[in-house]
Amino acid sequence: MSSHTVESISARIERLPVTRQLSTIRLVIGAATFFDAYTVLAIAFAMPVLVREWKLSPTEVGMILSFGYIGQLLGAVAFGWLAERIGRLRVLWLTITLFVTMDIACLFATGAVSMIICRFIQGIGTGGEVPVASAYVNEMVGAQKRGRFFLLYEVIFPIGLMFAGMVGYFLVPAYGWKAMFLVGLVPAVLMIPLRLLMPESPRWLASRGRLEEADTIVAAFEASAEARGAVLAEPRLAPQLSKSRSEWRELFRGIYRGRTLMLWALWFCVYMVINGMITWMPTLYREVFKLPLQTSLAYGFITSACGVVASIVCALLIDRVGRRRWYASAFALAVFPLGALALSGADTVMHVLVLVSLAYAIVQTIAFSLYLYSAELYPTRLRAFGTGCGSAWLRLGSSAGPLVVGYFSAGFGIGMVFAVFACVLALGAAVTMLFAVETAGKPLETLSP
C-alpha cells in the first residue's frame, strides 16, 4: 500500500520553486494558447475583406463572429468535463487537433454559411483548450508564486491577439483574407513537444487515486530543483481533502454555489465588452469612418497592443494588489472612457481609437486573469470543469457582444453601443465588490477543500 496521499502530493508541490522544467511546461502550453488566441481573433482581421468580397450583410457578419463563440461555449463545458475524467494532456491534444483541422477548413469556405459552420466547429476546439490548459498550469505551482507564474503564461493570450493584428496589417492587404488562416496552421507542430515534454498534472493523478504516478512526477520536479541548488522545506500538509468524485451539481452546493454565480457574471460582463469591441473595431473603422483597409487594421492592432502592455503590468502586480481589489478597480475605471464615448456620440475616429484602446487595456487585465481566478476557486476534482463552465459564459458574452454592436450601431449609432458597454462594466464592478473572494497567496487546497 502506498504511503503517498493526495495531501502529501499537494504539499510537496507547494514548496517547489519555479524550475527549468516548470518553465518549459509554461512555454509549451503557452505556445498552444498563443495560437488559440490568434485563431479566435483571426476572423476579425479577415472580416473587412470578406464583407466586400462576399457582400455580407451586418447580420451575416454578426453571425460569423458569434457562432465561433457559441462553439467555444460547447467546447469549454464538454472538454472541461472530459479533462476531469481522462486527464488534462489528452484533452489538450484533442482540442489543438480540432482547431487546427478547422483552420484548414476555413481556407475553403466560399460564403457566409460555410464560414459559420467552420468557425462553429473550430470554436469547440479553441473553447476547450484554454480552460483545460489553465487548470493544468495552475496545478503545477505553489500558492506564493502562482499568480505571477500563471499570468506570465496567460499573458501569451493577449500577445496572440496582438499577433493576429500584426498578421492582419501586413498580410491581409497583400495576400487576402486566407493569409490569416494559413498562419494559424503553425500549432500543428506544437503537438509533438506537447506529447513528449509534458507530464500529466500530479494533482489530477492524485485526485484519481494514481498516487504512484503522481509521486514519480513530483519526485522528478524535486530532483530538478535540488540539482540547481534549491533547499526544499519540509512539506506542510493541508487539512484532509474531500475524497468525493467530481459531480456537476457540486458547482451549486456549499461555498461553490456563490463562487460559481459570481464567476459567471464576471466572465459574461468582461467578454461581452472586450470581444464586442475588438472583433468589430476594424470593420467599424472601415465601414463607419471610411478608413482605408490598412489603416483600419492598424488601429485594431494598436488596441490589441495596449491590452498586452496592461496585461504584463497586471501579471507583475496582481499578487500584491489582490484579485478582488484589482477587478473592482478595473471594472469601475473602464466605465469612464466608454461613458465619454457614449456622451460624445463617438464623433471622431481618433476619439474612438484613444478611448476604446484605454477601456480595452483596462478590461483586458480582468479578461486574461479570470482563468487564474476561476481555477483558484474550485478543488482539483472540479477545477477544469468549473473553469470550463465559467468560461462558457465568456462565450455567451462574446457571442452577444458583436450582436449588440450590430444591432445598436445600425439602429441608434455607435455612441449607444458604448453606453451599453459602460453599463455592463458597472454591473461587473458591483458584483465584484459584493461577492468576490480574495485568493492571493493561499494554497489551492486551503481555498477549495
Side-chain angles (χ1 to χ4, degrees), residues 61-90:
V61 172
M63 290 180 68
I64 291 172
L65 296 175
S66 295
F67 268 73
Y69 292 118
I70 294 171
Q72 290 174 38
L73 185 158
L74 297 177
V77 175
F79 283 120
W81 175 85
L82 192 61
E84 306 295 8
R85 283 149 181 79
I86 70 172
R88 308 325 193 199
L89 284 186
R90 288 182 181 179

Short mmCIF file of all heavy atoms in Angstrom, two decimals, residues 61-90:
data_model
loop_
_atom_site.label_atom_id
_atom_site.label_comp_id
_atom_site.label_asym_id
_atom_site.label_seq_id
_atom_site.Cartn_x
_atom_site.Cartn_y
_atom_site.Cartn_z
N VAL A 61 -22.35 39.19 -40.83
CA VAL A 61 -21.10 39.47 -40.13
C VAL A 61 -21.24 39.09 -38.66
O VAL A 61 -20.38 38.40 -38.08
CB VAL A 61 -20.72 40.96 -40.26
CG1 VAL A 61 -19.52 41.27 -39.36
CG2 VAL A 61 -20.39 41.30 -41.70
N GLY A 62 -22.34 39.52 -38.04
CA GLY A 62 -22.56 39.19 -36.64
C GLY A 62 -22.64 37.70 -36.40
O GLY A 62 -22.12 37.19 -35.40
N MET A 63 -23.27 36.96 -37.32
CA MET A 63 -23.40 35.51 -37.16
C MET A 63 -22.06 34.80 -37.31
O MET A 63 -21.75 33.87 -36.56
CB MET A 63 -24.40 34.96 -38.15
CG MET A 63 -25.85 35.36 -37.86
SD MET A 63 -27.02 34.70 -39.07
CE MET A 63 -26.93 32.94 -38.67
N ILE A 64 -21.24 35.23 -38.26
CA ILE A 64 -19.91 34.62 -38.42
C ILE A 64 -19.09 34.81 -37.15
O ILE A 64 -18.43 33.89 -36.66
CB ILE A 64 -19.18 35.21 -39.64
CG1 ILE A 64 -19.86 34.76 -40.93
CG2 ILE A 64 -17.71 34.78 -39.65
CD1 ILE A 64 -19.33 35.43 -42.19
N LEU A 65 -19.12 36.02 -36.61
CA LEU A 65 -18.37 36.29 -35.39
C LEU A 65 -18.96 35.55 -34.19
O LEU A 65 -18.23 34.99 -33.37
CB LEU A 65 -18.34 37.80 -35.12
CG LEU A 65 -17.62 38.67 -36.14
CD1 LEU A 65 -17.79 40.15 -35.80
CD2 LEU A 65 -16.15 38.32 -36.24
N SER A 66 -20.26 35.51 -34.08
CA SER A 66 -20.91 34.97 -32.89
C SER A 66 -20.90 33.45 -32.85
O SER A 66 -20.76 32.86 -31.77
CB SER A 66 -22.34 35.48 -32.80
OG SER A 66 -22.37 36.87 -32.61
N PHE A 67 -21.05 32.78 -33.99
CA PHE A 67 -21.13 31.32 -33.96
C PHE A 67 -19.81 30.67 -33.54
O PHE A 67 -19.81 29.57 -33.00
CB PHE A 67 -21.60 30.79 -35.32
CG PHE A 67 -23.09 30.62 -35.39
CD1 PHE A 67 -23.92 31.73 -35.48
CD2 PHE A 67 -23.65 29.36 -35.34
CE1 PHE A 67 -25.30 31.59 -35.53
CE2 PHE A 67 -25.04 29.20 -35.39
CZ PHE A 67 -25.86 30.32 -35.48
N GLY A 68 -18.70 31.35 -33.79
CA GLY A 68 -17.43 30.85 -33.27
C GLY A 68 -17.45 30.80 -31.76
O GLY A 68 -16.98 29.84 -31.13
N TYR A 69 -18.03 31.82 -31.14
CA TYR A 69 -18.10 31.86 -29.67
C TYR A 69 -19.11 30.85 -29.12
O TYR A 69 -18.91 30.30 -28.04
CB TYR A 69 -18.46 33.28 -29.21
CG TYR A 69 -17.35 34.27 -29.48
CD1 TYR A 69 -17.55 35.36 -30.32
CD2 TYR A 69 -16.10 34.10 -28.91
CE1 TYR A 69 -16.54 36.26 -30.58
CE2 TYR A 69 -15.08 35.00 -29.17
CZ TYR A 69 -15.29 36.08 -30.00
OH TYR A 69 -14.28 36.97 -30.25
N ILE A 70 -20.17 30.59 -29.87
CA ILE A 70 -21.12 29.57 -29.43
C ILE A 70 -20.44 28.19 -29.43
O ILE A 70 -20.62 27.38 -28.52
CB ILE A 70 -22.37 29.57 -30.32
CG1 ILE A 70 -23.14 30.89 -30.13
CG2 ILE A 70 -23.28 28.38 -29.99
CD1 ILE A 70 -24.26 31.10 -31.12
N GLY A 71 -19.63 27.92 -30.46
CA GLY A 71 -18.84 26.69 -30.47
C GLY A 71 -17.88 26.63 -29.28
O GLY A 71 -17.70 25.57 -28.65
N GLN A 72 -17.28 27.76 -28.95
CA GLN A 72 -16.37 27.80 -27.80
C GLN A 72 -17.11 27.49 -26.50
O GLN A 72 -16.56 26.85 -25.60
CB GLN A 72 -15.72 29.18 -27.72
CG GLN A 72 -14.71 29.45 -28.83
CD GLN A 72 -14.20 30.87 -28.80
OE1 GLN A 72 -14.00 31.44 -27.75
NE2 GLN A 72 -13.99 31.46 -29.97
N LEU A 73 -18.35 27.94 -26.40
CA LEU A 73 -19.16 27.63 -25.21
C LEU A 73 -19.30 26.12 -25.05
O LEU A 73 -19.06 25.57 -23.96
CB LEU A 73 -20.54 28.29 -25.36
CG LEU A 73 -21.53 28.20 -24.20
CD1 LEU A 73 -22.55 29.33 -24.33
CD2 LEU A 73 -22.27 26.87 -24.18
N LEU A 74 -19.67 25.44 -26.12
CA LEU A 74 -19.84 23.99 -26.04
C LEU A 74 -18.51 23.30 -25.74
O LEU A 74 -18.45 22.36 -24.93
CB LEU A 74 -20.41 23.46 -27.36
CG LEU A 74 -21.81 23.96 -27.74
CD1 LEU A 74 -22.22 23.41 -29.10
CD2 LEU A 74 -22.83 23.56 -26.69
N GLY A 75 -17.44 23.77 -26.37
CA GLY A 75 -16.13 23.15 -26.14
C GLY A 75 -15.64 23.33 -24.73
O GLY A 75 -15.05 22.42 -24.14
N ALA A 76 -15.87 24.51 -24.16
CA ALA A 76 -15.40 24.78 -22.80
C ALA A 76 -16.06 23.83 -21.80
O ALA A 76 -15.39 23.26 -20.92
CB ALA A 76 -15.71 26.23 -22.42
N VAL A 77 -17.37 23.62 -21.92
CA VAL A 77 -18.08 22.74 -20.99
C VAL A 77 -17.73 21.28 -21.25
O VAL A 77 -17.40 20.53 -20.33
CB VAL A 77 -19.60 22.96 -21.10
CG1 VAL A 77 -20.35 21.97 -20.21
CG2 VAL A 77 -19.96 24.39 -20.70
N ALA A 78 -17.80 20.85 -22.52
CA ALA A 78 -17.58 19.44 -22.84
C ALA A 78 -16.15 19.00 -22.55
O ALA A 78 -15.93 17.95 -21.91
CB ALA A 78 -17.92 19.19 -24.32
N PHE A 79 -15.18 19.77 -22.98
CA PHE A 79 -13.80 19.38 -22.76
C PHE A 79 -13.38 19.58 -21.30
O PHE A 79 -12.52 18.86 -20.79
CB PHE A 79 -12.86 20.12 -23.71
CG PHE A 79 -12.87 19.58 -25.11
CD1 PHE A 79 -13.25 20.38 -26.17
CD2 PHE A 79 -12.53 18.27 -25.37
CE1 PHE A 79 -13.27 19.88 -27.48
CE2 PHE A 79 -12.54 17.76 -26.66
CZ PHE A 79 -12.92 18.56 -27.72
N GLY A 80 -13.97 20.57 -20.62
CA GLY A 80 -13.72 20.70 -19.19
C GLY A 80 -14.18 19.48 -18.42
O GLY A 80 -13.48 18.96 -17.55
N TRP A 81 -15.37 18.97 -18.76
CA TRP A 81 -15.89 17.74 -18.15
C TRP A 81 -14.99 16.55 -18.47
O TRP A 81 -14.66 15.74 -17.61
CB TRP A 81 -17.31 17.50 -18.67
CG TRP A 81 -17.92 16.21 -18.20
CD1 TRP A 81 -18.59 15.98 -17.04
CD2 TRP A 81 -17.93 14.97 -18.92
NE1 TRP A 81 -19.00 14.66 -16.98
CE2 TRP A 81 -18.62 14.02 -18.12
CE3 TRP A 81 -17.42 14.56 -20.17
CZ2 TRP A 81 -18.79 12.69 -18.53
CZ3 TRP A 81 -17.60 13.24 -20.57
CH2 TRP A 81 -18.28 12.33 -19.76
N LEU A 82 -14.57 16.45 -19.74
CA LEU A 82 -13.75 15.32 -20.16
C LEU A 82 -12.38 15.32 -19.48
O LEU A 82 -11.83 14.27 -19.14
CB LEU A 82 -13.58 15.36 -21.68
CG LEU A 82 -13.00 14.11 -22.35
CD1 LEU A 82 -13.91 12.89 -22.12
CD2 LEU A 82 -12.82 14.36 -23.85
N ALA A 83 -11.82 16.54 -19.26
CA ALA A 83 -10.50 16.64 -18.63
C ALA A 83 -10.50 16.12 -17.20
O ALA A 83 -9.46 15.67 -16.69
CB ALA A 83 -10.02 18.09 -18.65
N GLU A 84 -11.64 16.17 -16.52
CA GLU A 84 -11.72 15.62 -15.17
C GLU A 84 -11.68 14.09 -15.19
O GLU A 84 -11.33 13.46 -14.21
CB GLU A 84 -13.01 16.07 -14.46
CG GLU A 84 -13.24 17.58 -14.43
CD GLU A 84 -12.21 18.36 -13.62
OE1 GLU A 84 -11.20 17.79 -13.20
OE2 GLU A 84 -12.43 19.57 -13.45
N ARG A 85 -12.02 13.50 -16.32
CA ARG A 85 -12.12 12.04 -16.41
C ARG A 85 -10.94 11.37 -17.09
O ARG A 85 -10.51 10.30 -16.66
CB ARG A 85 -13.43 11.68 -17.12
CG ARG A 85 -14.62 11.83 -16.18
CD ARG A 85 -15.91 12.22 -16.85
NE ARG A 85 -16.95 12.36 -15.83
CZ ARG A 85 -17.09 13.43 -15.04
NH1 ARG A 85 -16.27 14.46 -15.16
NH2 ARG A 85 -18.05 13.49 -14.13
N ILE A 86 -10.41 11.94 -18.14
CA ILE A 86 -9.33 11.26 -18.87
C ILE A 86 -7.99 11.99 -18.75
O ILE A 86 -6.98 11.50 -19.26
CB ILE A 86 -9.68 11.06 -20.35
CG1 ILE A 86 -9.70 12.39 -21.11
CG2 ILE A 86 -11.02 10.33 -20.49
CD1 ILE A 86 -9.86 12.22 -22.62
N GLY A 87 -7.96 13.16 -18.10
CA GLY A 87 -6.69 13.85 -17.89
C GLY A 87 -6.55 15.12 -18.69
O GLY A 87 -7.21 15.31 -19.72
N ARG A 88 -5.67 16.00 -18.17
CA ARG A 88 -5.50 17.31 -18.81
C ARG A 88 -4.83 17.19 -20.18
O ARG A 88 -5.25 17.81 -21.16
CB ARG A 88 -4.65 18.21 -17.93
CG ARG A 88 -5.02 18.41 -16.47
CD ARG A 88 -6.45 18.42 -16.10
NE ARG A 88 -6.66 18.91 -14.74
CZ ARG A 88 -7.75 18.70 -14.04
NH1 ARG A 88 -8.75 17.97 -14.55
NH2 ARG A 88 -7.88 19.21 -12.83
N LEU A 89 -3.75 16.38 -20.28
CA LEU A 89 -2.96 16.37 -21.51
C LEU A 89 -3.70 15.72 -22.68
O LEU A 89 -3.60 16.19 -23.81
CB LEU A 89 -1.63 15.64 -21.27
CG LEU A 89 -0.58 16.43 -20.50
CD1 LEU A 89 0.72 15.66 -20.46
CD2 LEU A 89 -0.34 17.79 -21.15
N ARG A 90 -4.42 14.65 -22.43
CA ARG A 90 -5.17 14.02 -23.52
C ARG A 90 -6.18 15.00 -24.12
O ARG A 90 -6.34 15.07 -25.35
CB ARG A 90 -5.91 12.78 -23.01
CG ARG A 90 -5.02 11.60 -22.70
CD ARG A 90 -5.86 10.42 -22.25
NE ARG A 90 -5.03 9.28 -21.92
CZ ARG A 90 -5.50 8.11 -21.48
NH1 ARG A 90 -6.81 7.97 -21.32
NH2 ARG A 90 -4.69 7.12 -21.19
#
